[in-house]
Amino acid sequence: MSDAKLQSVLSSLSQMARQSDALPSDRPAPDASWVKLNTNENPFPLPTMIMKSAIAALERQYLYPEEDNISLREAAANAYGVSIDQVIAGNGSSELLGLVYRAFLAAGDRVAMMSPGFSFNRKLAMLQGAQFLEIEFGEDHSLPIEQLLLGPAKDAKFILLANPNNPTGAFVPVADIERLVAKSDRLIVLDEAYVDFAPENGLHLINRYPNLLVLRTFSKSYAVAGIRVGFGFGHPEIIGRLRNIQNVFNMNVIGHAVGMSVLAHRAAYADNHRHIRHQRQRVRLALSQLGFSVMPSHANFLLARVPTGQDGSWWQSALARQKILVAVFADKGLENCIRVSIGTKEQMDAFLSATKDINANI
Ligand SMILES: Cc1ncc(COP(=O)(O)O)c(C=O)c1O
């Protein structure tokens, strides 16, 4: 393409696309020799019957998937004790988050997220040209209910709260969330991506409050991040609006089959979840003994403040030299933290051994 032609095409970009970087960075995916503890996946193999359902779905690969995800939504409705018109199914819960932003926000509108929170939300707000407010948690990760009702978030089109929260792993009691939802006339988006590792969940509240939308994903607790299955639960009118603006055939046949099979066999994950809770406690203790300060976590990861002397990025690079990936954050106050996902015992042994080694040689 000639330069003049390229310039002519680029001048047609929307303002939002023009503001973004010209070329996203293409980082090579880490191969199997890496211990990947940076994106909170669940590294266990699928239970056999779920694997079989994925393979069987391949035999129907020439057909489009079922329209409107009806069977999957029906199965989710039955599994979670709600009605089908209260359920939307997504290609991962990030697809559903994107729909919420598109449905509720026009340029200049406000959206509020409890902070620190899931950074993908910042990008979604930017794509809508929306103002993104970050509201800090109170002491001991409490929900600042009065501030959310009376402060700048009172004009937000919706308020986001991940519970357990990412990247901290902290948990707000569901009774506190209910107090906010009951008093607020804003939509509260309760992102329960990690809730299967936590003591309680807020799904039942959708029957009491039309201003609550609960999001779930099978990426973390059901070990299918690569297959992309997520759900939203809420009032039928809100769910209906979201379904109306969703891509046709948003999920594929494997996602449908695996989603249905996981819903039928959730009990098969009890050991998996027990293992993660156990390793979470073991790694928390071991890191504390090495001088890290570790937040109590109700998710499948730990946020750890590194010992004084170096920052989180330094530790991330030092661990990467030993082929171990962890996450770091630019958020205020998190510069000295690393977030480590909880994987298999062998992965956590490798992480702890590298961490000890690095700590001894600082
Ligand atoms: C809080 C939270 N919400 C949503 C997601 C998106 O999950 P997925 O799109 O895999 O369902 C993540 C993934 O890291 C997350 O941490």
Side-chain angles (χ1 to χ4, degrees):
M1 206 188 252
S2 74
D3 236 27
K5 244 185 209 189
L6 176 63
Q7 289 317 316
S8 161
V9 171
L10 291 177
S11 71
S12 301
L13 282 171
S14 72
Q15 194 186 349
M16 174 275 293
R18 216 172 305 159
Q19 278 169 353
S20 71
D21 288 339
L23 292 170
S25 64
D26 283 324
R27 267 174 292 166
D31 64 35
S33 64
W34 286 77
V35 178
K36 193 173 178 308
L37 303 174
N38 61 334
T39 44
N40 305 336
E41 287 116 333
N42 185 323
F44 290 94
L46 282 181
T48 312
M49 53 275 189
I50 297 175
M51 182 67 93
K52 280 188 180 155
S53 72
I55 293 166
L58 282 173
E59 285 170 17
R60 294 172 61 77
Q61 98 315 82
Y62 62 95
L63 292 175
Y64 280 109
E66 183 178 45
E67 237 175 285
D68 295 327
N69 307 315
I70 292 176
S71 310
L72 180 61
R73 288 171 47 235
E74 199 164 41
N78 290 335
Y80 291 109
V82 298
S83 64
I84 185 169
D85 59 358
Q86 290 174 297
V87 186
I88 182 170
N91 194 31
S93 62
S94 37
E95 186 211 355
L96 302 175
L97 269 174
L99 287 182
V100 175
Y101 278 78
R102 259 183 278 149
F104 284 92
L105 293 176
D109 284 345
R110 264 182 190 184
V111 52
M113 177 183 78
M114 293 311 300
S115 173
F118 181 37
S119 58
F120 180 53
N121 286 291
R122 226 173 265 142
K123 177 172 183 174
L124 291 172
M126 185 274 284
L127 292 177
Q128 293 305 115
Q131 275 184 63
F132 191 63
L133 299 182
E134 301 203 34
I135 312 289
E136 286 182 16
F137 285 98
E139 224 168 284
D140 291 331
H141 195 78
S142 59
L143 198 58
I145 295 177
E146 293 308 310
Q147 193 192 337
L148 287 169
L149 294 171
L150 304 170
K154 77 176 192 310
D155 300 323
K157 297 288 179 182
F158 57 93
I159 298 172
L160 285 142
L161 164 67
N163 202 41
N165 191 29
N166 179 13
T168 58
F171 189 72
V172 172
V174 171
D176 292 352
I177 295 172
E178 180 168 9
R179 278 198 288 139
L180 171 66
V181 177
K183 287 185 178 170
S184 175
D185 63 355
R186 307 288 84 193
L187 175 70
I188 311 295
V189 180
L190 177 60
D191 181 348
E192 294 194 329
Y194 300 95
V195 85
D196 294 308
F197 306 109
E200 52 172 353
N201 71 75
L203 183 59
H204 58 283
L205 297 177
I206 64 162
N207 289 319
R208 236 172 286 162
Y209 304 100
N211 61 329
L212 178 66
L213 180 70
V214 174
L215 299 181
R216 294 279 180 93
T217 176
F218 281 3
S219 296
K220 317 294 182 181
S221 40
Y222 296 110
V224 294
I227 295 174
R228 317 299 298 129
V229 183
F231 295 99
F233 301 92
H235 190 279
E237 276 200 44
I238 292 173
I239 293 295
R241 302 292 163 122
L242 296 176
R243 287 178 48 222
N244 276 333
I245 61 165
Q246 192 167 34
N247 257 358
V248 66
F249 306 128
N250 63 312
M251 297 179 70
N252 63 49
V253 288
I254 300 178
H256 275 178
V258 167
M260 305 263 297
S261 192
V262 168
L263 286 165
H265 298 107
R266 281 185 299 161
Y269 287 84
D271 277 351
N272 178 318
H273 298 173
R274 236 190 320 273
H275 165 91
I276 286 169
R277 286 197 191 96
H278 173 74
Q279 290 299 320
R280 182 174 76 192
Q281 184 57 16
R282 173 176 89 98
V283 174
R284 181 169 180 226
L285 213 69
L287 284 177
S288 306
Q289 283 163 358
L290 289 172
F292 288 73
S293 156
V294 192
M295 292 264 304
S297 167
H298 293 277
N300 65 339
F301 57 82
L302 290 165
L303 186 73
R305 193 166 293 281
V306 302
T308 46
Q310 304 293 349
D311 65 9
S313 296
W314 184 92
W315 272 91
Q316 184 186 46
S317 303
L319 286 162
R321 281 194 286 278
Q322 304 204 33
K323 293 200 140 188
I324 293 170
L325 288 177
V326 297
V328 292
F329 303 90
D331 304 57
K332 185 168 71 80
L334 298 188
E335 304 84 355
N336 295 324
C337 294
I338 57 172
R339 190 195 65 196
V340 55
S341 312
I342 302 298
T344 62
K345 177 174 181 306
E346 294 70 29
Q347 287 181 315
M348 302 328 290
D349 285 347
F351 164 73
L352 286 174
S353 152
T355 304
K356 268 184 209 147
D357 186 46
I358 294 164
N359 212 27
N361 289 297
I362 285 183

